[in-house]
Amino acid sequence: METLDLSIIDWSRAQFAMTAMDHWIFVPLTLSLGFIMAVMETVYYKTGKAEWQTMTKFWMRLFGINFAVGVAGGLILEFQFGTNWSNYSWLVGDIFGAPLAIEGIMAFFLESTFFVIMFFGWNKVSKGFHLAATWLTWFGATLSSLWILVANAWMQYPTGTSFNIDTVRSEMTDFWAVLFSPMAMNKFFHTVTSSWIVGAAFVIGVSCWYLMKKRNIEFAHKSIRIAAAFGLLGIILAMYSGDGSAYQVAQKQPMKLAAMEGLYQGHTGEGLVAMGILNPAKKEYNDATNPFLIKITAPKLLSFLAFRDFDAHVPGIKDLLDGGYLETRPDGQAVKPVTTDEKIVFGKMAQNALKGYKLAKKEHNDSLASVNKAVFAATSPYYGYGYIKDKKQLIPNVPLTFYSFRFMVIFGGFFLLYFIFILYIRRRIENMKWLQKLALWAIPLAYLTSFSGWIVAEVGRQPWAIQDLLPTFAAVSSIPVSSIQTTFAFFAILFIVLFIAIVSIMVHEIRKGPEHIQ
């Protein structure tokens, strides 16, 4: 760690972020468009009307193009854990690898198998079997996201595991605790339901383009009606699960919550910042500079959302770093939490105890090994803090987290009104040119809203790769910077070319329209 080139960390993070963002372009559309086309095929199965089969096939064509490229991005992401993050993979591979393996064996093969039947099985299998294949393709894609999000949630809140001091690796002790942790369940439902917004906006936008061109009018109206209802359901469920996610963040990742709110000094009965502009003159977490130039606050709402108590104390960044506040336990007892300085001391004790244990075992000094093992057991929950040299390293990027959170919330509210309005006006949308143009712009806006949620989740937990156990800068591989720069450039070119190609193919299919579907 003392000799590690910091540029290795920066380039590795940049490469992983770029790959993840490219992959996420395709995932939400897969999760949402799969459901929409399954509903359309269900209507076709019930009514036997050819128009519903045509609608299903058209959206299925766009789904297939999107699905194929999304798989490739996911594979690249998984390989990067071994190439760029080998220290991470060594330490927690036994835990992190389990949900990824299940995702590959169970979910990926499920969706891939039925995708082939769904895409090429028209007139080759019965209508009922084909309908089942369509639903199972969507279910497999959703199941795949479950295991990926379980792995990600474990990084945010490591549970159901223990550290084996002899192998120097974390091991899973309770699979069900990992799978059903509240962080994992909230993250899964929030991510999936928020993805439905992207698919709904996509279908509405494409359908409005047909209305603008005065083509396929009935096709467009029916697609809009289904997508708007689906999108409205998605945004309502995303708002509900988002509240649960914020509650879990308050309990498990208070520094992330403080960054989301630009909160430096906590108070009881803390208000929620509805709108605000951060003060760029705020340079230090403990200076006297007001962190805001302007802010509009909903009184006591943050305390309620974070702890279900309007008078609860919400710690700010200064509180979390310097201590001096009381934390209320679930049993109602107010205690003084462990300070960051104490955590750093405990973390160094844990690391020294680990070194002492390995040395004592090597020298066959069982009594000294036993002492070091006991010290390690008592201090290991703070192991990751031993890498921290300055507690200011524990502060995430506050402006990026703060503004991304507000972008997500504000435009989440926009989409709630958007879907309600479209359902209310029904067929009158055909004569509302301004709304048709807005629908086209709503497609990239839905993606940006989805991206902003991931920025909050991932940037807000920095510097941790695994919360409290492993900082990002301790998780990287020690490889030449030039190698990372080369692969970064290669992936950047590859992703740009693929993105242009996929958009071009999808635009070509949309321009051809559903009338060319056989």
Side-chain angles (χ1 to χ4, degrees):
M1 290 302 302
E2 298 294 338
T3 59
L4 184 66
D5 187 347
L6 294 180
S7 59
I8 293 177
I9 303 165
D10 294 336
W11 278 104
S12 293
R13 290 180 66 187
Q15 179 172 293
F16 193 86
M18 176 182 65
T19 309
M21 291 175 69
D22 174 81
H23 180 54
W24 193 249
I25 292 174
F26 307 100
V27 172
L29 194 58
T30 297
L31 295 176
S32 53
L33 199 54
F35 187 93
I36 291 173
M37 67 188 191
V39 170
M40 292 177 174
E41 186 173 352
T42 301
V43 176
Y44 164 64
Y45 179 81
K46 292 288 187 181
T47 64
K49 294 182 179 179
E51 60 181 329
W52 287 101
Q53 184 186 37
T54 300
M55 291 173 65
T56 303
K57 286 185 174 182
F58 175 79
W59 295 114
M60 192 175 289
R61 186 75 58 91
L62 299 182
F63 173 89
I65 297 168
N66 179 83
F67 177 85
V69 182
V71 169
L75 293 175
I76 294 173
L77 265 180
E78 293 193 11
F79 279 122
Q80 285 185 16
F81 284 110
T83 57
N84 293 68
W85 306 95
S86 58
N87 287 339
Y88 170 90
S89 299
W90 166 262
L91 182 65
V92 299
D94 291 348
I95 304 160
F96 194 78
L100 295 187
I102 296 172
E103 184 266 340
I105 296 171
M106 179 191 295
F108 179 70
F109 284 114
L110 174 67
E111 61 182 315
S112 299
T113 299
F114 286 102
F115 173 85
V116 175
I117 298 172
M118 177 192 74
F119 208 73
F120 301 104
W122 293 102
N123 303 320
K124 294 181 175 62
V125 297
S126 67
K127 287 173 61 177
F129 189 76
H130 191 277
L131 176 63
T134 301
W135 277 109
L136 285 170
T137 299
W138 169 77
F139 177 75
T142 304
L143 189 62
S144 180
S145 69
L146 168 66
W147 297 110
I148 298 298
L149 292 167
V150 164
N152 180 272
W154 183 85
M155 296 167 66
Q156 313 268 353
Y157 173 53
T159 185
T161 60
S162 66
F163 188 86
N164 188 326
I165 196 171
D166 291 300
T167 62
V168 197
R169 300 185 71 176
S170 291
E171 299 175 349
M172 188 179 298
T173 57
D174 188 344
F175 172 79
W176 302 111
V178 174
L179 174 58
F180 292 113
S181 80
M183 185 73 77
M185 290 297 98
N186 272 284
K187 180 171 285 291
F188 168 68
F189 285 110
H190 187 61
T191 302
V192 170
T193 54
S194 62
S195 296
W196 295 355
I197 302 167
V198 175
F202 177 81
V203 171
I204 292 171
V206 171
S207 300
C208 281
W209 183 81
Y210 286 125
L211 294 180
M212 291 173 67
K213 299 297 181 181
K214 301 189 182 303
R215 294 174 49 191
N216 313 107
I217 303 299
E218 285 304 313
F219 166 88
H221 279 302
K222 290 179 178 179
S223 295
I224 289 171
R225 188 162 62 249
I226 290 176
F230 178 60
L232 180 59
L233 175 64
I235 189 63
I236 292 173
L237 293 176
M239 292 172 70
Y240 176 77
S241 58
D243 173 68
S245 294
Y247 178 76
Q248 291 301 323
V249 166
Q251 311 303 310
K252 312 297 191 311
Q253 297 174 300
M255 183 62 79
K256 180 191 289 188
L257 181 69
M260 288 162 59
E261 288 298 306
L263 182 63
Y264 286 85
Q265 183 68 59
H267 303 90
T268 58
E270 188 66 59
L272 179 73
V273 180
M275 297 284 290
I277 300 176
L278 295 174
N279 187 352
K282 181 75 173 177
K283 302 299 182 183
E284 299 291 338
Y285 77 91
N286 54 358
D287 63 25
T289 305
N290 190 326
F292 287 93
L293 294 176
I294 302 171
K295 71 172 178 177
I296 301 172
T297 304
K300 296 192 175 186
L301 189 55
L302 181 60
S303 289
F304 178 77
L305 294 176
F307 298 102
R308 304 301 189 249
D309 181 356
F310 284 107
D311 295 316
H313 182 276
V314 182
I317 294 173
K318 186 177 185 302
D319 302 306
L320 294 167
L321 293 184
D322 296 342
Y325 72 100
L326 294 179
E327 181 179 73
T328 303
R329 290 179 175 175
D331 60 7
Q333 183 181 2
V335 297
K336 184 179 179 181
V338 179
T339 67
T340 299
D341 290 325
E342 291 170 337
K343 290 178 181 179
I344 292 174
V345 171
F346 290 151
K348 294 186 184 302
M349 288 175 62
Q351 293 182 357
N352 290 332
L354 176 60
K355 293 176 185 177
Y357 175 82
K358 300 298 289 184
L359 180 61
K361 292 291 287 186
K362 184 177 181 180
E363 296 175 349
H364 304 289
N365 188 337
D366 293 338
S367 61
L368 182 59
S370 180
V371 171
N372 279 292
K373 187 175 183 179
V375 173
F376 180 82
T379 57
S380 60
Y382 307 104
Y383 183 87
Y385 286 90
Y387 293 105
I388 304 300
K389 298 186 180 302
D390 186 339
K391 58 186 179 182
K392 288 188 289 185
Q393 291 178 279
L394 298 171
I395 305 174
N397 187 317
V398 175
L400 183 56
T401 308
F402 176 85
Y403 288 120
S404 295
F405 179 68
R406 263 132 208 91
F407 188 95
M408 176 186 68
V409 172
I410 290 171
F411 284 100
F414 161 78
F415 279 106
L416 174 65
L417 299 176
Y418 175 69
F419 294 134
I420 291 174
F421 185 67
I422 287 177
L423 288 171
Y424 174 74
I425 62 172
R426 297 178 180 271
R427 298 184 68 91
R428 283 176 288 169
I429 192 174
E430 186 177 346
N431 301 315
M432 304 174 75
K433 299 297 182 183
W434 66 270
L435 185 56
Q436 295 166 14
K437 293 179 180 179
L438 177 63
L440 292 176
W441 284 104
I443 298 175
L445 185 59
Y447 275 101
L448 291 175
T449 304
S450 182
F451 276 122
S452 66
W454 274 112
I455 290 172
V456 173
E458 300 307 304
V459 174
R461 71 181 167 95
Q462 293 302 314
W464 300 109
I466 306 169
Q467 186 71 38
D468 295 340
L469 296 181
L470 185 68
T472 305
F473 55 80
V476 295
S477 304
S478 182
I479 55 179
V481 177
S482 58
S483 298
I484 309 174
Q485 292 171 331
T486 301
T487 53
F488 180 92
F490 172 76
F491 285 137
I493 295 171
L494 174 65
F495 293 151
I496 291 172
V497 170
L498 280 176
F499 179 76
I500 294 173
I502 292 304
V503 171
S504 300
I505 293 171
M506 294 185 80
V507 168
H508 177 70
E509 289 295 321
I510 292 169
R511 283 176 173 167
K512 286 169 63 177
E515 59 266 28
H516 80 286
I517 300 294
Q518 299 295 323

